[in-house]
Amino acid sequence: MSAARVGVVTFPGTLDDQDAARAVRLAGAQAVPLWHADHDLKGVDAVFLPGGFSYGDYLRCGAISRFAPLMDELVPAAKAGLPVIGTCNGFQILCEAHLLPGALTRNASLHYVCRDQRVRVEQTATAWTNSFASGQEILLPVKHGEGRYVASDETLAALEAGGHVVFRYVGGNPNGSLNDIAGIRNEAGNVVGLMPHPEHAVEELVGAPSTDGLGFFTSILKNLVNT
């Protein structure tokens, strides 16, 4: 099988696209740049929505990005089964595009948070987490000002009952997210969103707290081989 092609989307204000592309390459896949203003997913096998401040977060984090031309292609593709992951701002965009339920709001502290954070893997039956063990604790960086996950009581109950909470903060909640939720998935398990940054935890050389983030990228490669 030729190298899997993972698209990395860049919006105006995206900061972590090159980090995500590097992580994709380290895992053995081909990183394919996708521009927000295009109507072309370039036939990629999966898509990574990286962190940053798309469109300057001028309206609400991710609220303008959901209307980008590329999202006209991405949303139906994701609903049809294309594996998609969003980290930080990417998670916010997935919620704004209604590919994931709930919303990300201002941190409970009203302060920007930047630190290494332990999270527990709650679900491994997704395209992006199958390389982990259920209950495994991993260490990833967080860096956000609007990372508090909120949802209605009904939505929270459905997420918990359906096993759709993929990651949970442990050792302290950095933003006040309800139920300590750090990441969730859709019903099919092909779309995952989380606030921590796996793309910043793939190489010890650059000072990342761990290489635990590499598991996300090996997971998608394993998923693509098996589907």
Side-chain angles (χ1 to χ4, degrees):
M1 175 182 174
S2 59
R5 304 175 73 248
V6 179
V8 178
V9 183
T10 301
F11 297 92
T14 296
L15 299 179
D16 300 318
D17 47 349
Q18 295 306 308
D19 303 87
R22 179 169 177 78
V24 167
R25 292 192 295 269
L26 284 172
Q30 178 185 353
V32 179
L34 299 176
W35 184 240
H36 71 106
D38 292 339
H39 280 280
D40 186 5
L41 292 177
K42 300 182 180 179
V44 297
D45 303 302
V47 170
F48 194 109
L49 291 172
F53 303 90
S54 60
Y55 295 95
D57 288 345
Y58 287 128
L59 177 59
R60 187 176 61 246
C61 295
I64 300 176
S65 297
R66 66 167 292 197
F67 296 108
L70 189 72
M71 296 299 291
D72 291 339
E73 313 302 320
L74 181 59
V75 170
K79 290 180 177 179
L82 180 72
V84 178
I85 191 169
T87 63
C88 200
N89 190 226
F91 186 13
Q92 295 161 343
I93 293 170
L94 290 176
C95 289
E96 291 290 339
H98 305 300
L99 287 173
L100 292 174
L104 284 307
T105 62
R106 290 288 302 277
N107 295 345
S109 66
L110 300 183
H111 292 288
Y112 187 89
V113 174
C114 182
R115 75 188 200 197
D116 300 333
Q117 175 69 47
R118 284 192 299 129
V119 297
R120 184 171 62 244
V121 180
E122 303 280 46
Q123 289 292 328
T124 60
T126 83
W128 299 92
T129 58
N130 58 72
S131 288
F132 298 108
S134 181
Q136 180 179 351
E137 292 187 8
I138 60 178
L139 186 63
L140 302 173
V142 294
K143 50 187 183 94
H144 56 257
E146 298 188 35
R148 181 173 184 260
Y149 181 78
V150 298
S152 67
D153 291 342
E154 293 79 7
T155 296
L156 284 173
L159 288 172
E160 298 286 3
H164 295 168
V165 176
V166 182
F167 300 101
R168 216 179 295 270
Y169 297 115
V170 292
N173 185 326
N175 49 43
S177 285
L178 300 183
N179 293 16
D180 294 328
I181 290 173
I184 60 174
R185 68 173 177 90
N186 67 343
E187 180 74 29
N190 63 299
V191 179
V192 171
L194 70 156
M195 285 310 293
H197 288 266
E199 71 277 16
H200 292 315
V202 295
E203 287 185 293
E204 293 179 353
L205 180 64
V206 295
S210 73
T211 58
D212 292 340
L214 199 57
F216 290 78
F217 302 93
T218 57
S219 289
I220 188 57
L221 297 190
K222 186 188 302 185
N223 175 265
L224 294 172
V225 168
N226 295 332
T227 55

